[in-house]
Amino acid sequence: MKRFVWVSILAFSLFVASTVFAHDLEKKGRFGLGPSMGWPGIGLTTNTFVATDMSVQADLYPFWSFGGFALDVDYLFWLHDITKQDAFHLTWFAGPGAVLMVFPGGKYYNGGAAGAFEGAVGLSMQFNDAPMDLNLQLSPGISFFSGGAGFWITSMISTRYYF
């Protein structure tokens, strides 16, 4: 059922995007919203450009491993285009971020919260004929929790429709 919902959302986004033309996603004030999936979960992603080459990305998703949820926020710097084609631009981005995880107690662990500092890096395919992007992101970092600290890494693929 969850897959059906996400596939429906993606199909609807593609349908809506095909009826609208994009003009430079990287403009101050452009806001993107869409689904994301990866580790640690399937969720919702947003991206708001605060300048032509900087944005704030926020992702909210269930944290399946511990039955809770996670919120991460990244400040992204949109770097040079890798390639410009007739149909799309391929560019990359990088920036620092932070994660907050909240989870209830379980059989083998206590409930509580944890945090992480991460560095996001990724590729973005920005479509020329539709106000959409398709992103692949990897975010390694350090997590902090009641038991100490440890290595943290997330990965996701997402698509966003820009308003």
Side-chain angles (χ1 to χ4, degrees):
M1 181 66 184
K2 289 179 188 176
R3 287 183 189 173
F4 175 76
V5 170
W6 286 112
V7 169
S8 298
I9 290 171
L10 179 61
F12 178 74
S13 297
L14 290 172
F15 170 75
V16 170
S18 68
T19 63
V20 181
F21 293 102
H23 301 288
D24 296 323
L25 295 183
E26 298 178 21
K27 282 186 176 178
K28 185 177 179 179
R30 292 297 300 259
F31 171 75
L33 176 67
S36 66
M37 71 177 169
W39 193 89
I42 297 172
L44 187 65
T45 182
T46 66
N47 192 40
T48 303
F49 280 92
V50 295
T52 57
D53 59 352
M54 291 179 269
S55 70
V56 175
Q57 173 181 278
D59 306 306
L60 179 64
Y61 45 87
F63 196 35
W64 300 117
S65 302
F66 296 100
F69 72 91
L71 171 68
D72 74 40
V73 178
D74 301 312
Y75 192 83
L76 302 176
F77 297 92
W78 292 78
L79 306 168
H80 305 288
D81 284 334
I82 295 171
T83 184
K84 289 184 178 185
Q85 302 294 322
D86 290 337
F88 64 89
H89 290 197
L90 184 63
T91 188
W92 67 292
F93 57 85
V99 182
L100 173 65
M101 297 158 275
V102 178
F103 44 90
K107 184 175 179 180
Y108 301 107
Y109 57 89
N110 294 328
F117 293 109
E118 63 184 11
V121 63
L123 292 172
S124 179
M125 182 182 292
Q126 300 173 343
F127 299 99
N128 293 335
D129 294 334
M132 290 186 68
D133 63 5
L134 178 64
N135 306 289
L136 179 61
Q137 179 176 322
L138 187 66
S139 301
I142 298 173
S143 64
F144 301 93
F145 51 96
S146 61
F151 181 69
W152 169 263
I153 189 164
T154 63
S155 61
M156 77 169 178
I157 186 167
S158 65
T159 183
R160 292 181 286 247
Y161 179 83
Y162 284 82
F163 301 93

